[in-house]
Amino acid sequence: MAVEKINMPQLGESVTEGTISSWLVSAGDKVNKYDPIAEVLTDKVNAEVPSSFTGVIKELVAQEGDTIAVGELMCYVDIEGGASETQADEKTDEKSDTEQEESASEDQSMKKRYSPAVLSMAIENGIELESINGTGRGGRITRKDIEKVIETGQSKKPATSNPVQSEKGTANEAKETPIAKQTAQDGDIEIPVTGVRKAIAQNMVRSTQEIPHAWMTVEADVTGLVNYRNQIKNEFKQKEGFSLTFFAFFVKAVAQALKEFPQLNSRWADDKIIQRKDINLSIAVAKDQELFVPVIKHADEKSIKGIAKDINDLAMKARSNALTADDMQGGTFTVNNTGSFGSIHSMGVINHPQAAILQVESIVKRPVIINDMFAARDMVNLCLSLDHRILDGVVSGQFLARVKEILENINKDTTNVY
């Protein structure tokens, strides 16, 4: 018998880590190659990790709830017919670790790429990440690196670390007030943070910590769009078998505007900005207490009918837990239909690492002054959140104005859904 390792696989583009939501096997279980052994949460989606070998699970190293980087160890498997034994494997491990550390000391390209778990632990324990030598790939700082710092007692901030504070106040004033741990009272309900909710929390923290958000809102008159869609929706549903929603028109308008303003279709990459060629639009889909962000691929190349079909298919898959990793990856810009909940104004958190997110609010009929007379019009707010490292107000405003212009000119004479 030889011992082999199963590491966290690469589950999608730009996915650097995963959280083990549940193990599907236990130590001692026999598995075949490609059998699923664990469910892992990546970017708001569940994915199954298959076994790379046929054998018996020897040890589960990572625990449920652990967030580990791609390539890090998940478990050991005993396999038949292998040449190496455990001791030899351990020596190999030691050699591999040494090589990894030597490699990490040379390559520091990933040193400043922090995972949400690392950031959270560093903040909680007052650790300055710049002072740590990461042992991960490219010098990346791992959870184990942080845990080592905590174990050695180097994580506590000195009370006099802020010289300005020391000069102005007494030693007692310089002490930080500890944050009291929140505890439940009689009658309260404690709900464990696991699964998708935990992944959402981590992604939102990462977005707000890394991305300097700015916001803009425009108001669009979509009376023509509303009249056009209402005229054809029943015939369309009978003919195609799925609904023609307003959201499909909005997604099409955003895809068209992104072709004219590709600066919005980009991402921050430390020392450069990567402008994406493909226009892949992420859309938010809620299911009970869970939120998924599947992707409409090449939205600019599709008709309104094609986009409506993609929206319907992705929503159905989300609600039946059938979304795959491929459905979730590759998004370059997010369009969020907050109007479906009756919202009329909101400020979205950008879907990291994208450059912006557009919130489509509820369409509201209200009086508007046209030619010095009141008229009943269908109005909607379009709220844009932008990464201010990548985008400024000028280009963002021009993009938003173009989306508004496209939407305000949709009617039966100008737009074909096919």
Side-chain angles (χ1 to χ4, degrees), residues 192-251:
V193 179
T194 58
V196 172
R197 178 49 51 189
K198 190 171 185 178
I200 291 172
Q202 290 172 342
N203 284 335
M204 293 301 99
V205 169
R206 184 178 186 185
S207 289
T208 53
Q209 286 181 337
E210 292 187 17
I211 299 175
H213 283 62
W215 294 273
M216 304 180 76
T217 299
V218 299
E219 184 183 55
D221 182 343
V222 291
T223 305
L225 186 162
V226 170
N227 291 337
Y228 178 39
R229 180 261 184 182
N230 288 343
Q231 287 173 9
I232 63 175
K233 66 176 184 179
N234 292 334
E235 181 183 348
F236 183 91
K237 176 72 177 292
Q238 188 175 20
K239 183 177 179 182
E240 304 298 339
F242 55 89
S243 298
L244 177 64
T245 62
F246 289 123
F247 192 49
F249 291 89
F250 287 98
V251 171

Side-chain angles (χ1 to χ4, degrees), residues 404-416:
K404 168 186 167 79
E405 180 184 15
I406 294 170
L407 291 170
E408 291 188 338
N409 284 283
I410 292 178
N411 56 58
K412 63 183 179 62
D413 298 322
T414 61
T415 308
N416 190 340

Side-chain angles (χ1 to χ4, degrees), residues 245-287:
T245 62
F246 289 123
F247 192 49
F249 291 89
F250 287 98
V251 171
K252 179 63 180 178
V254 170
Q256 184 176 338
L258 284 174
K259 286 183 71 71
E260 300 172 31
F261 296 93
Q263 300 95 324
L264 278 288
N265 197 49
S266 58
R267 59 177 294 182
W268 182 262
D270 293 333
D271 60 344
K272 58 190 172 186
I273 295 170
I274 300 174
Q275 203 169 93
R276 297 296 190 185
K277 177 184 177 184
D278 294 336
I279 296 177
N280 300 331
L281 299 185
S282 305
I283 59 171
V285 178
K287 172 183 173 290

Side-chain angles (χ1 to χ4, degrees), residues 170-195:
T170 64
N172 287 336
E173 289 173 341
K175 290 181 179 177
E176 294 182 358
T177 303
I179 299 174
K181 185 177 180 180
Q182 301 298 313
T183 57
Q185 305 296 321
D186 289 344
D188 293 347
I189 300 174
E190 291 187 333
I191 303 172
V193 179
T194 58

